[in-house]
Amino acid sequence: MACARMKPSLLLPRIAAFALALPELAAATPNWPSWRGPLGNGVAPDAEPPVTWSESTNVAWKVSVPGRGSSTPVVWGDQVFLLTAVADTSAEVPAKSNDNPPPTPPPAEPGGNVEGRPRRRGPGGPGGPGGPGGGMVDRPTSAQKFTVLSYDRTTGRKRWEQVARVQVPHEGHHKDHGFASASPVTDGTHLIVSFGSFGLYGYDMEGKKLWEKDLGDMRTRNSFGEGSSPALDGNTVVILWDHEGDDFIAAFDKRDGRELWRQKRDEPTGWCTPLIVTHGGRKQVVVNGTNRARGYDLATGEPLWEVAGQTVNAIPSAVADAEKVYLMSGYRGSSLQAIRLGRTGDLTGTDALAWTHAKSTPYVPSPLLYGDTLYFWSGNTAMLSAFDTGSGKARFEAERINGLNGVYASPIGSADRVYLVGRDGTTVVAKRGPTLEILASNRLDDGFDASPAAVGRQLFLRGRENLYCIAGR
C-alpha cells in the first residue's frame, strides 16, 4: 500500500474519508481510472512510485507514441490507455493563414493540460509575457486519425490500437494544444473515450467498439481547441459541452450510449472536467465555469446550486472532500472558493462560501487535494502554494520550485510525496508537509504537459513523443 511506513489501520480511514465525497470508482484505488485518479483529487493512495530517476535509472520502459496528444495515461489492471491524433497526409487540405491571432493565452484541456513542444520562454512562463499567449493557431492541413491506444503495463508493448474516426478537423487549435487532449475513463469493464467534436465512444477492455455518439461541432474561443474529459460513475457518463455555440451538460449510459438527460448552459468555451461527488446520500456533478460554477443532480441533471466569482477562462477542475468543494481559476485575476456541500440555489455572497482566496491561483493546472491540504500552482509558473482546507490559511504560498520552467501538468500525490511535472522534462518530488521540502529533481529527455499517473510502484509520464513507465528495481 501507499505510505508503506503507515499501519493499514491508520491509512484506511483516510481513504474512506476521501471516498465519502467521490465516485464509486474510488473503491478501485489500485488503478488510475481517470484524469485525476481514483479519488478525483490527484491522489494515488495505494501507490509508492520512485523518488529518483533519469533516462538511465528507474525507467522500466519507454515507448514512442505516434501523433500528438496530452491525455493523461489511464491505468486499469495490466493495461495503460492513451488517446492521440495522428495526421493522415493522404487526405490533405489547403493550409489557411491565421489572420486572427488569439488575443488571450491558450486554454487548457483534459481538465487542465495543454500539450506542446517545450521551448525557451520569456518571463512569466507559459501564458505569461513571452509565453504562448501571443502565439498563432495551428490550422488543420490534413485529416486526423483519432486513435485509442492500449499498452501492456509491465512491458510497454502495444496491446491494441483502434482508430475511432478519420476526419479533417473543422477548426484548428493553439500551437501548445492538440486534437486529442481529453483523457479516457474506465471502470474495468468499459472504456469511455471523448474526442469532443470527433465523437464520444464506448469500448470494452479489449478494444471492441460498443457504441458511438456524434454530438456536433464545437466552435472554441479563437480556435483554441477542445479538452474536457468525460466523468464516469456507475453506468452514467457525463460530458461537458461549453463552447461559442449552444452549451450543455449531458449524461449517457455507459453500456449503449443512450442519452439520459441534458441541461442547457450559458458559458464561454470551457475546458474543465466534471467532478462527481456524493454528499448527504445524493450524487452531484460539479462543474467550474467563468460565469458560474454549478452543481447538478447526477440522476436527473437538475441544477442544484450555482456560485459566481471565478475569473475569465475558469479552467482548473474542482476537487472535493467530504464537506466542501474547491474551485479555482487564475487568468486575469485569481479566485479560490471553498464551497460547503449540501446547499442549494444561488450561493454567491452567502455563508456557503467557507473561505476564499484571491492570489496566486492556477491558470491551466488543476489543484491537488492531499488530505487536508490543497496544493496549487500560480498561473502556469513553477510557484507552488499549499493551503489548509479547514482554515483557508497558507502553509506556504507561491514558493518557487527551482528547476521547473513552466507548468501545464497538474500535481499528484502518493506515499506522502507530491510530484510536480514541468514542461521542460523535469519532475520535482517534494515531501508532503507544512513546509516545502524538496526530495529530488529528475530530468528526462522529453517534455511533459500531460498530468502523470501513479499505480503501485510505477509512475507513468506521457511526454510530447514518448510514454515512460518509471519504476524502482
Side-chain angles (χ1 to χ4, degrees):
M1 296 182 69
C3 305
R5 298 176 183 84
M6 183 181 292
K7 294 180 180 180
S9 60
L10 298 178
L11 179 62
L12 287 174
R14 295 188 181 188
I15 297 173
F18 289 138
L20 285 174
L22 295 158
E24 293 173 359
L25 290 176
T29 52
N31 302 297
W32 189 275
S34 60
W35 172 59
R36 293 305 281 149
L39 304 177
N41 57 9
V43 175
D46 293 315
E48 192 169 2
V51 175
T52 61
W53 62 85
S54 68
E55 286 286 343
S56 60
T57 305
N58 284 341
V59 175
W61 49 262
K62 172 185 177 181
V63 295
S64 176
V65 178
R68 292 188 64 186
S70 52
S71 65
T72 285
V74 167
V75 184
W76 192 282
D78 58 357
Q79 294 190 80
V80 182
F81 303 101
L82 281 185
L83 306 185
T84 189
V86 182
D88 182 359
T89 55
S90 65
E92 293 186 353
V93 296
K96 298 179 181 178
S97 63
N98 180 23
D99 53 6
N100 183 28
T104 56
E109 48 58 277
N113 305 312
V114 179
E115 194 278 346
R117 302 175 174 87
R119 56 184 182 269
R120 295 286 182 182
R121 302 181 183 278
M136 307 289 278
V137 169
D138 276 342
R139 306 293 180 180
T141 58
S142 65
Q144 299 288 316
K145 294 189 288 186
F146 296 92
T147 305
V148 187
L149 297 166
S150 167
Y151 295 94
D152 185 275
R153 177 179 161 188
T154 303
T155 65
R157 176 183 60 86
K158 186 167 68 176
R159 291 184 49 152
W160 54 262
E161 174 180 343
Q162 292 292 343
V163 176
R165 185 182 295 188
V166 180
Q167 183 176 330
V168 177
H170 59 284
E171 69 174 15
H173 59 79
H174 195 277
K175 287 181 181 290
D176 280 355
H177 198 21
F179 289 117
S181 299
S183 300
V185 60
T186 183
D187 59 2
T189 59
H190 291 76
L191 179 70
I192 307 301
V193 170
S194 175
F195 286 110
S197 296
F198 313 104
L200 175 66
Y201 304 88
Y203 291 89
D204 69 15
M205 300 300 281
E206 298 307 315
K208 178 184 177 182
K209 187 190 297 183
L210 303 176
W211 54 267
E212 64 178 279
K213 302 282 288 188
D214 191 330
L215 301 178
D217 288 348
M218 276 192 176
R219 299 289 177 178
T220 62
R221 183 180 182 183
N222 296 319
S223 294
F224 276 160
E226 307 172 21
S228 178
S229 301
L232 174 63
D233 183 277
N235 292 329
T236 304
V237 179
V238 180
I239 294 293
L240 181 65
W241 199 268
D242 286 349
H243 67 135
E244 301 307 292
D246 294 334
D247 307 326
F248 63 86
I249 184 171
F252 302 86
D253 192 301
K254 74 169 185 183
R255 297 164 294 187
D256 55 15
R258 175 173 52 91
E259 186 167 316
L260 303 176
W261 54 259
R262 182 180 295 220
Q263 282 286 347
K264 293 182 179 180
R265 288 170 53 81
D266 181 16
E267 289 286 338
T269 303
W271 299 272
C272 80
T273 291
L275 174 72
I276 301 173
V277 303
T278 301
H279 184 79
R282 188 178 201 177
K283 293 185 178 183
Q284 60 177 280
V285 184
V286 178
V287 180
N288 204 359
T290 293
N291 293 335
R292 297 265 167 157
R294 297 175 176 89
Y296 299 86
D297 185 272
L298 177 64
T300 66
E302 173 193 359
L304 300 176
W305 57 266
E306 62 180 45
V307 64
Q310 293 298 308
T311 72
V312 176
N313 287 3
I315 292 170
S317 298
V319 292
D321 56 28
E323 299 299 329
K324 295 188 290 292
V325 61
Y326 304 91
L327 300 158
M328 299 185 187
S329 53
Y331 176 59
R332 293 184 179 175
S334 295
S335 177
L336 192 171
Q337 295 173 307
I339 310 294
R340 292 186 175 96
L341 290 165
R343 307 298 180 91
T344 58
D346 188 347
L347 308 183
T348 307
T350 72
D351 65 357
L353 277 71
W355 54 269
T356 62
H357 180 68
K359 186 179 178 183
S360 303
T361 48
Y363 176 32
V364 168
S366 291
L368 163 68
L369 175 57
Y370 203 169
D372 61 358
T373 305
L374 274 171
Y375 293 90
F376 53 91
W377 293 112
S378 176
N380 298 331
T381 65
M383 299 177 69
L384 187 70
S385 296
F387 272 57
D388 179 273
T389 57
S391 67
K393 303 298 184 183
R395 291 179 169 156
F396 58 85
E397 185 172 358
E399 291 201 21
R400 179 159 302 278
I401 308 297
N402 293 327
L404 295 187
N405 182 22
V407 177
Y408 282 157
S410 302
I412 68 167
S414 65
D416 279 333
R417 300 188 286 265
V418 177
Y419 290 77
L420 308 166
V421 180
R423 301 199 70 212
D424 62 355
T426 300
T427 299
V428 170
V429 183
K431 184 178 180 180
R432 177 188 178 193
T435 60
L436 181 60
E437 180 181 342
I438 303 301
L439 301 176
S441 181
N442 308 294
R443 184 66 182 264
L444 295 171
D445 292 341
D446 211 337
F448 300 97
D449 296 320
S451 298
V455 181
R457 295 184 177 274
Q458 298 169 306
L459 180 73
F460 296 91
L461 293 169
R462 196 261 180 84
R464 174 168 54 93
E465 297 178 351
N466 304 287
L467 173 63
Y468 289 81
C469 175
I470 309 298
R473 301 186 185 278

mmCIF file of all heavy atoms in Angstrom, residues 19 100 108 134 157 256 292 304 310 330 426 466:
data_model
loop_
_atom_site.group_PDB
_atom_site.id
_atom_site.type_symbol
_atom_site.label_atom_id
_atom_site.label_comp_id
_atom_site.label_asym_id
_atom_site.label_seq_id
_atom_site.Cartn_x
_atom_site.Cartn_y
_atom_site.Cartn_z
ATOM 1 N N ALA A 19 -13.370 8.791 0.017
ATOM 2 C CA ALA A 19 -14.366 8.105 -0.795
ATOM 3 C C ALA A 19 -15.778 8.577 -0.503
ATOM 4 O O ALA A 19 -16.658 8.461 -1.348
ATOM 5 C CB ALA A 19 -14.262 6.589 -0.572
ATOM 6 N N ASN A 100 -6.352 36.036 -37.703
ATOM 7 C CA ASN A 100 -6.976 36.478 -36.460
ATOM 8 C C ASN A 100 -6.253 35.841 -35.283
ATOM 9 O O ASN A 100 -6.781 34.956 -34.625
ATOM 10 C CB ASN A 100 -8.455 36.080 -36.455
ATOM 11 C CG ASN A 100 -9.166 36.582 -35.217
ATOM 12 O OD1 ASN A 100 -8.770 37.587 -34.645
ATOM 13 N ND2 ASN A 100 -10.210 35.867 -34.812
ATOM 14 N N ALA A 108 -6.673 25.362 -21.495
ATOM 15 C CA ALA A 108 -6.240 24.063 -21.034
ATOM 16 C C ALA A 108 -7.067 23.000 -21.687
ATOM 17 O O ALA A 108 -8.000 23.263 -22.407
ATOM 18 C CB ALA A 108 -6.409 23.969 -19.532
ATOM 19 N N GLY A 134 0.671 34.836 -27.002
ATOM 20 C CA GLY A 134 0.629 35.616 -28.226
ATOM 21 C C GLY A 134 0.903 34.782 -29.452
ATOM 22 O O GLY A 134 1.119 35.319 -30.539
ATOM 23 N N ARG A 157 4.604 -2.999 -24.298
ATOM 24 C CA ARG A 157 4.205 -3.500 -25.618
ATOM 25 C C ARG A 157 2.788 -3.017 -25.951
ATOM 26 O O ARG A 157 1.905 -3.026 -25.105
ATOM 27 C CB ARG A 157 4.245 -5.032 -25.619
ATOM 28 C CG ARG A 157 3.748 -5.683 -26.907
ATOM 29 C CD ARG A 157 3.759 -7.191 -26.785
ATOM 30 N NE ARG A 157 2.918 -7.657 -25.699
ATOM 31 C CZ ARG A 157 1.618 -7.900 -25.794
ATOM 32 N NH1 ARG A 157 0.992 -7.689 -26.962
ATOM 33 N NH2 ARG A 157 0.924 -8.346 -24.758
ATOM 34 N N ASP A 256 -24.569 1.615 -23.662
ATOM 35 C CA ASP A 256 -25.050 1.703 -25.037
ATOM 36 C C ASP A 256 -25.039 3.127 -25.603
ATOM 37 O O ASP A 256 -25.454 3.348 -26.741
ATOM 38 C CB ASP A 256 -26.464 1.124 -25.140
ATOM 39 C CG ASP A 256 -27.458 1.764 -24.169
ATOM 40 O OD1 ASP A 256 -27.140 2.846 -23.615
ATOM 41 O OD2 ASP A 256 -28.539 1.179 -23.958
ATOM 42 N N ARG A 292 -20.485 31.033 -13.941
ATOM 43 C CA ARG A 292 -20.958 30.416 -12.714
ATOM 44 C C ARG A 292 -20.381 29.006 -12.596
ATOM 45 O O ARG A 292 -20.396 28.256 -13.572
ATOM 46 C CB ARG A 292 -22.484 30.303 -12.716
ATOM 47 C CG ARG A 292 -23.212 31.645 -12.752
ATOM 48 C CD ARG A 292 -23.569 32.085 -11.372
ATOM 49 N NE ARG A 292 -23.982 33.475 -11.317
ATOM 50 C CZ ARG A 292 -24.741 33.979 -10.340
ATOM 51 N NH1 ARG A 292 -25.204 33.203 -9.388
ATOM 52 N NH2 ARG A 292 -25.036 35.261 -10.318
ATOM 53 N N LEU A 304 -28.651 22.199 -8.974
ATOM 54 C CA LEU A 304 -28.789 22.237 -7.524
ATOM 55 C C LEU A 304 -28.322 23.555 -6.936
ATOM 56 O O LEU A 304 -28.960 24.098 -6.036
ATOM 57 C CB LEU A 304 -27.988 21.084 -6.892
ATOM 58 C CG LEU A 304 -28.388 19.669 -7.307
ATOM 59 C CD1 LEU A 304 -27.456 18.658 -6.679
ATOM 60 C CD2 LEU A 304 -29.832 19.393 -6.910
ATOM 61 N N GLN A 310 -15.577 33.184 -10.223
ATOM 62 C CA GLN A 310 -14.370 32.711 -10.879
ATOM 63 C C GLN A 310 -13.901 33.732 -11.920
ATOM 64 O O GLN A 310 -14.636 34.650 -12.286
ATOM 65 C CB GLN A 310 -14.602 31.348 -11.531
ATOM 66 C CG GLN A 310 -14.852 30.227 -10.532
ATOM 67 C CD GLN A 310 -13.684 29.990 -9.605
ATOM 68 O OE1 GLN A 310 -12.548 29.821 -10.044
ATOM 69 N NE2 GLN A 310 -13.950 29.994 -8.297
ATOM 70 N N GLY A 330 -7.340 31.340 -12.576
ATOM 71 C CA GLY A 330 -6.221 32.246 -12.412
ATOM 72 C C GLY A 330 -5.810 33.016 -13.642
ATOM 73 O O GLY A 330 -4.632 33.310 -13.812
ATOM 74 N N THR A 426 11.562 18.080 -16.538
ATOM 75 C CA THR A 426 11.969 17.908 -15.145
ATOM 76 C C THR A 426 10.757 17.632 -14.271
ATOM 77 O O THR A 426 9.724 18.293 -14.398
ATOM 78 C CB THR A 426 12.692 19.163 -14.625
ATOM 79 O OG1 THR A 426 13.845 19.391 -15.430
ATOM 80 C CG2 THR A 426 13.116 18.994 -13.176
ATOM 81 N N ASN A 466 6.984 10.435 -26.138
ATOM 82 C CA ASN A 466 7.117 9.112 -25.538
ATOM 83 C C ASN A 466 6.205 8.935 -24.333
ATOM 84 O O ASN A 466 5.800 9.899 -23.691
ATOM 85 C CB ASN A 466 8.565 8.887 -25.076
ATOM 86 C CG ASN A 466 9.573 9.075 -26.183
ATOM 87 O OD1 ASN A 466 9.696 8.245 -27.073
ATOM 88 N ND2 ASN A 466 10.307 10.189 -26.146
#
